[in-house]
Amino acid sequence: MLSQIGRLVVASHNPGKVHEIAALLAPFGIDAISAGALGLPEPEETEPTFVGNARLKAEAAARASGLAALADDSGLEVAALGGAPGVLSARWAEPTTGAGRDFAAAMRRVWTELAGAPDRSARFVCVLALARPGEETYIFEGEVRGHIVWPPRGEHGFGYDPIFVPEGYDITFGEMAPEEKHKISHRARAFARFVDALR
Ligand code: IMP
C-alpha cells in the first residue's frame, strides 16, 4: 500500500534531515520535497510524546500540502530521570542568551540531575510518522539502549552523543565513526521499519 506514494513532503525545515531522507526514498521512486520549499508553516511541538509530535507534524504537512508527509521526532530518555529530557531534548539545549544551542549545558544538566543515581540506563528514541490526506497515519519506532557516562567523550555526532554509550560497546556515540553509528542508531532502526513497509 505504501508503494503507491509518488511524492512525499518531508515535514522538516532542517535541510540536512531532508537531504538524508530524500536519498533514502529515491530508490523507491519517491520524490521527496521539503516542507520549507513548499512554504509550509512549522507547527509547535506541543505533544508530551514522540509519537504525538511526529504525528502532529506529519498530519499538519499532509493537510496543508494535500500530499503524503513524513515527520520524525527523537530524543534521549534517561530512566533515573523518569524519561527526561525526552521530548524536551532539544529544548534543554536552548540558550539563555542569544547564542546557538548549548549541548554542553544540556549534557551537564543530565549529569547534575542524575546526582550519583546508580541506574545510568538511557535510550535514544526516534519515531517516524507517515500521514496521507484522509487516511490513517502510520507510525514507525526505533530505539537504541545504552547508558550515560561522564565526562563527555568524542567529537563525532551531535546533541547528547558524547555522554551516551550504546549497549554492547564501551565507546560513546561521540567517539564512534558516523558509519558505525548509522548502522545501529534509533533513527536507522525507525527508517529500516519504514523502508520495510514500502517494499
Ligand atoms: P528533533 O529534531 O525535534 O527530533 O530533536 C531531537 C533532539 O534530540 C536533538 O536536538 C538532540 O538533542 C536529541 N537527539 C536526537 N537524536 C540524537 C542523536 O542521535 N544523538 C544525540 N542527540 C540526539
Side-chain angles (χ1 to χ4, degrees):
M1 198 195 319
L2 296 182
S3 58
Q4 291 160 2
I5 299 168
R7 238 177 152 211
L8 180 132
V9 181
V10 181
S12 168
H13 288 248
N14 175 339
K17 223 182 232 183
V18 175
H19 185 75
E20 235 180 76
I21 296 176
L24 199 101
L25 297 176
F28 296 94
I30 297 174
D31 177 22
I33 39 174
S34 82
L38 290 179
L40 303 182
E42 209 167 358
E44 279 278 324
E45 298 185 16
T46 50
E47 294 292 318
T49 63
F50 295 115
V51 172
N53 282 325
R55 179 188 291 277
L56 173 154
K57 289 186 272 187
E59 290 178 355
R63 234 185 349 261
S65 66
L67 296 167
L70 184 72
D72 79 336
D73 200 36
S74 61
L76 175 71
E77 288 186 346
V78 180
L81 303 184
V87 293
L88 301 178
S89 293
R91 246 164 283 171
W92 275 30
E94 247 148 50
T96 42
T97 63
R101 281 190 174 155
D102 186 353
F103 277 101
M107 289 189 284
R108 204 173 319 110
R109 180 168 169 192
V110 168
W111 186 248
T112 307
E113 294 203 6
L114 267 174
D119 179 7
R120 303 274 165 83
S121 59
R123 64 175 194 148
F124 275 120
V125 182
C126 176
V127 172
L128 291 173
L130 175 71
R132 287 168 303 166
E135 289 187 52
E136 192 191 325
T137 297
Y138 286 81
I139 300 288
F140 307 94
E141 247 187 283
E143 67 158 11
V144 55
R145 292 175 178 277
H147 67 273
I148 300 298
V149 291
W150 195 262
R153 304 190 323 236
E155 304 296 324
H156 296 299
F158 69 102
Y160 299 86
D161 280 344
I163 58 167
F164 182 82
V165 172
E167 232 167 47
Y169 291 80
D170 53 16
I171 57 172
T172 67
F173 264 172
E175 293 172 304
M176 195 175 274
E179 314 83 73
E180 188 71 17
K181 179 188 170 188
H182 294 152
K183 283 185 205 151
I184 63 164
S185 78
H186 47 310
R187 203 163 289 104
R189 288 172 175 163
F191 272 101
R193 294 206 163 130
F194 172 61
V195 165
D196 273 351
L198 291 177
R199 286 185 212 283

